Amino acid sequence: MRRATDIHASAWVALALALVFSLPAQALAAARCDKPVYLTIDTGHMGVAPLVAEVLARQQVKATFFLANERTQPVGARPEGSTLDEHWAGWWKQLAAQGHDFGSHTWDHVVWQADRPQGLRVKPTAGARIGERFDLPDAGYCEQLQRPATRFEQMTGQRMRAIFRAPGGRTSPRLLAVAQRCGWQHVPWTPNGFLGDELDSSRYPNAALLAQALQRVRSGEILLMHLGIWSRQDPWAPAVLEPLIVGLKARGFCFETLGQHPTFGAAGLAPRDARAPVPTPAR
């Protein structure tokens, strides 16, 4: 016998999917909206990235992406790469041309562990020192923030804005102060904006996560998702993404980038590394 919660979740999925096919994207985009939400997307294994971009284009939604140089899944004969390598340069350039917003997620996806007398204890989940715990001086953390911005400008010809998201959302007052001194403003997500794509899919199936988001999200929420999570067996994106967008639009919400946010929209352009030449955009 199916539980009531399962039936309720399935009903939401059916309703959202019906709306996908019954409401033209132009009509949804044209509707007046005074209930903004802000979709933010952190890098991941990129296996779902092309499909995510298709959904955003089809639904005429602009998002804010936070970039780290993370390991990516093999694609066909292509072995593992990284999110900011040449294979993905054109993809990022296309997103930038479409008007999405961008921030840093640290180059090596360095997760804060503790404050130290001379810096920050971190544990990268990418790069040459993956899995190590070590102390990173303040200047080293600033470099971790800067490198995605330099690479983004090289790939796209555009400047990244001076916003960042600490991997895992893990921060401390000292980390935030270090980032502020080198010109960066931190962007968390809101509690109701946690969409659950990092959770175990056997315990948190897509239908339940969709129903939960459609019920909980309120105006002004900053939503969090990723471009692929290695540990989730049943991928959240893009399966939930389009029904979620359509379902929120049907409830009167609209999607804006953090460039339109009352707090984070005021952030200027990311600082440039004075030691590096001005990047040349990828062709």
Side-chain angles (χ1 to χ4, degrees), residues 50-265:
L51 295 174
V52 168
E54 289 175 12
V55 169
L56 296 179
R58 182 163 53 248
Q59 292 298 325
Q60 300 181 7
V61 165
K62 298 296 185 289
T64 301
F65 292 82
F66 289 97
L67 279 60
N69 194 40
E70 299 185 68
R71 180 170 63 100
T72 59
Q73 288 182 343
V75 179
R78 180 180 180 270
E80 290 182 357
S82 63
T83 53
L84 304 183
D85 65 16
E86 283 303 307
H87 175 81
W88 290 103
W91 190 81
W92 292 114
K93 184 176 182 179
Q94 182 178 29
L95 287 182
Q98 291 170 352
H100 297 279
D101 193 18
F102 301 88
S104 177
H105 199 33
T106 73
W107 183 257
D108 290 324
H109 201 260
V110 291
V111 181
W112 175 85
Q113 303 288 298
D115 294 336
R116 306 292 286 175
Q118 302 301 320
L120 301 166
R121 173 65 57 90
V122 298
K123 180 181 178 182
T125 65
R129 302 187 68 176
I130 184 171
E132 293 183 36
R133 288 183 173 85
F134 60 92
D135 294 345
L136 190 65
D138 292 355
Y141 194 78
C142 291
E143 182 181 3
Q144 281 285 331
L145 293 173
Q146 177 61 47
R147 287 185 68 185
T150 300
R151 178 58 179 155
F152 177 76
E153 189 173 0
Q154 181 183 40
M155 294 187 296
T156 69
Q158 296 188 24
R159 297 277 296 278
M160 180 181 283
R161 293 199 310 122
I163 55 175
F164 82 102
R165 172 167 292 150
R170 293 175 58 87
T171 67
S172 70
R174 189 179 193 285
L175 181 148
L176 296 178
V178 168
Q180 185 176 32
R181 285 197 297 272
C182 54
W184 293 87
Q185 182 179 11
H186 185 251
V187 180
W189 57 88
T190 54
N192 289 338
F194 178 71
L195 299 175
D197 66 349
E198 298 172 90
L199 301 175
D200 181 354
S201 57
S202 63
R203 295 178 59 198
Y204 302 93
N206 286 335
L209 292 177
L210 174 61
Q212 176 177 280
L214 288 171
Q215 181 180 22
R216 292 183 178 180
V217 168
R218 300 291 183 267
S219 179
E221 303 280 8
I222 297 176
L223 312 180
L224 167 68
M225 61 166 286
H226 299 78
L227 292 173
I229 294 293
W230 289 91
S231 60
R232 188 171 175 88
Q233 296 300 309
D234 184 14
W236 183 95
V240 176
L241 180 59
E242 192 154 25
L244 175 63
I245 290 172
V246 173
L248 291 177
K249 285 181 177 180
R251 291 180 54 202
F253 292 99
C254 60
F255 288 80
E256 296 183 344
T257 72
L258 290 175
Q260 299 161 289
H261 191 277
T263 299
F264 304 111

